[in-house]
Amino acid sequence: MINKPKGCVDITGDESLLWEYVNDVVSTMMRTYNYELIRTPIFEASELFHRSVGASSDIVKKETYDFQDKGNRNLTLRPEGTAGVVRSYIENKCYALPDIKKYYYNGTMYRYERPQNGRLREFTQFGVEVLGSNDPIVDAEVISLQYKILEALHIENLEVKINSLGDAESRDNYKKALVSYLEPHLNELCEDCQERFKTNPLRILDCKVDADSDILKNAPKTIDYLNKESKERFETVLKYLDLLEIDYEVNPNIVRGLDYYDHTVFEIVSLDHNETSQSVLGGGGRYNKLIKELDGPDSYGIGFACGIDRIIAILKEMDLYKDVKRQVEVYVMYVSEEEKLHALDIVQNLRLNGVVTETDNLGRGLKGEFKEADRLQAKLLIILNNEDLQKGLVNIKDNATKEEEKVDLSEIVEYIIGNL
Ligand code: AMP
């Protein structure tokens, strides 16, 4: 027997209903906020991720699925969504448009991580990327969109943890302060952090191993190193969030794992599910340097990504799970071949009118069909028999009250819709 690869999941049955539900809410919200769906390849040139996510990042160093295709091209399964979207924006010269671009995506990502609860090797993220504006109103919109989607999914007690890394000058000043603070403590940090100290010291703050050490807890904070402009910018973002009534907490420990962030960085958690780092539902930030870094113009970008697998895990714990259940509304029953022809036609007609309808596909016979209708919890049963059909009539039974009525063939759809 061949099993699925480690860290991957099959989604079927009731769980797939939850996926449909989440996808529906996401795409509806994205459309109301006027975001355009973008689909980019699941694999890209490996270099794209080295230059965007950062060659020194954990993701690129340890977690990417890299391979060569038959033409000896070095390719990587995408570990995140931003790089592909920005690559597409540059390649298609979308920056030439006199407008900002607001994209959303929803797709699978791949990271070779140690699988555990809430951490998979193939997982799904939805996210947005807004390209072409540095206005803090966009930061507030992106953060509130993420928040409002989770709220629309009935996930409660949400809190945005927000921080600012500032512009290049502020980041540099901070980096210097961090380096001189960390230097004397270097051999108390994990091996990876000692390496990070040389390549990208900011990443030390993201370390999962040293996260709880006093050294990191007492490290200098980015917001204390913001220059005037960056500080004012951050305050404006917070003011807009206040106006939008988004719950947030300024958390100087949020630096995010990727190389490309500047200014606003954020994560979103549900305080009801806050015991572990796995409770982070999503996060994002501004990346004003990335577009140029990938050979595009000097432009601006900000985005977020949210993990659907973790959202589903939370929804499964909630009562809401039951409401999402798909219910067969009508079950059509027949025995003879002649009745079957009518059944085929009636089922098609009801389905095309938006009524969730099922019929027998296994030649169960009437008794088996009643049983199946009960199992599916069908609300109404259409019971066909030759005698009534010849008079142009069908029997419709309410499966709860057991009341039965004869209805004209031409009025079935109207009757059903009126009685559901
Ligand atoms: P990141 O791209 O690392 O900022 O992650 C954004 C969100 O994607 C996280 O908050 C998670 O909800 C989700 N996520 C990231 N990595 C994984 C993973 N390995 N398995 C499942 N979900 C993940």
Side-chain angles (χ1 to χ4, degrees), residues 172-186 196-198 200-202 204 219-220:
D172 280 352
N173 285 339
Y174 175 68
K175 207 164 142 182
K176 278 184 207 138
L178 184 68
V179 165
S180 54
Y181 166 82
L182 287 175
E183 204 155 19
H185 301 289
L186 211 52
R196 288 180 187 120
F197 186 79
K198 292 180 222 148
N200 189 344
L202 242 67
I204 295 177

Side-chain angles (χ1 to χ4, degrees), residues 7 59 63 79-81 105 109-114 116-126 146 256-258 260-261 266-268 277-284 304-311:
I59 291 185
E63 297 174 2
E80 56 92 50
Y105 59 83
M109 307 293 159
Y110 301 83
R111 295 184 197 169
Y112 192 78
E113 297 194 84
R114 204 158 54 82
Q116 48 188 296
N117 198 12
R119 196 168 285 282
L120 295 163
R121 289 185 174 169
E122 180 187 68
F123 59 98
T124 305
Q125 287 183 335
F126 66 86
Q146 182 180 33
R256 310 281 300 150
L258 312 184
Y260 50 58
Y261 289 115
F266 56 92
E267 288 181 354
I268 189 160
S277 62
Q278 250 65 292
S279 65
V280 180
L281 298 175
F304 75 71
C306 249
I308 299 191
D309 305 80
R310 289 191 195 166
I311 292 172

Side-chain angles (χ1 to χ4, degrees), residues 87-98:
R87 195 262 316 129
S88 158
Y89 173 78
I90 297 169
E91 187 172 339
N92 295 301
K93 296 195 171 46
C94 296
Y95 49 81
L97 302 170

Side-chain angles (χ1 to χ4, degrees), residues 219-234:
K221 312 285 180 222
T222 56
I223 35 178
D224 296 329
Y225 292 83
L226 299 181
N227 59 18
K228 186 164 171 280
E229 221 179 18
S230 301
K231 194 159 181 262
E232 278 171 9
R233 190 181 189 290
F234 188 43

Side-chain angles (χ1 to χ4, degrees), residues 202-213:
L202 242 67
R203 285 207 192 289
I204 295 177
L205 301 169
D206 252 350
C207 176
K208 289 166 198 152
V209 180
D210 289 325
D212 294 326
S213 75

Side-chain angles (χ1 to χ4, degrees), residues 31-183:
R31 276 199 293 271
T32 20
Y33 275 70
N34 196 32
Y35 282 61
E36 163 189 331
L37 176 69
I38 183 166
R39 282 171 53 90
T40 59
I42 281 177
F43 55 85
E44 297 268 3
S46 303
E47 192 196 346
L48 176 67
F49 302 110
H50 288 194
R51 279 169 62 186
S52 60
V53 180
S56 69
S57 65
D58 271 5
I59 291 185
V60 166
K61 271 173 74 179
K62 300 185 197 157
E63 297 174 2
T64 49
Y65 281 87
D66 303 308
F67 61 100
Q68 271 194 343
D69 71 2
K70 292 189 169 63
N72 293 329
R73 296 172 192 89
N74 291 319
L75 299 169
T76 295
L77 295 185
R78 62 183 181 198
E80 56 92 50
T82 305
V85 173
V86 173
R87 195 262 316 129
S88 158
Y89 173 78
I90 297 169
E91 187 172 339
N92 295 301
K93 296 195 171 46
C94 296
Y95 49 81
L97 302 170
D99 201 359
I100 67 170
K101 291 299 273 181
K102 296 184 177 184
Y103 296 114
Y104 86 91
Y105 59 83
N106 184 347
T108 48
M109 307 293 159
Y110 301 83
R111 295 184 197 169
Y112 192 78
E113 297 194 84
R114 204 158 54 82
Q116 48 188 296
N117 198 12
R119 196 168 285 282
L120 295 163
R121 289 185 174 169
E122 180 187 68
F123 59 98
T124 305
Q125 287 183 335
F126 66 86
V128 308
E129 310 297 343
V130 179
L131 298 156
S133 168
N134 193 34
D135 194 311
I137 194 174
V138 179
D139 301 38
E141 178 177 291
V142 163
I143 293 168
S144 78
L145 172 54
Q146 182 180 33
Y147 190 98
K148 291 294 165 189
I149 289 176
L150 294 172
E151 211 172 57
L153 289 167
H154 303 278
I155 298 180
E156 288 171 354
N157 245 325
L158 294 165
E159 188 177 79
V160 175
K161 298 188 185 296
I162 188 168
N163 188 22
S164 174
L165 305 173
D167 58 9
E169 183 189 61
S170 311
R171 253 181 93 129
D172 280 352
N173 285 339
Y174 175 68
K175 207 164 142 182
K176 278 184 207 138
L178 184 68
V179 165
S180 54
Y181 166 82
L182 287 175
E183 204 155 19

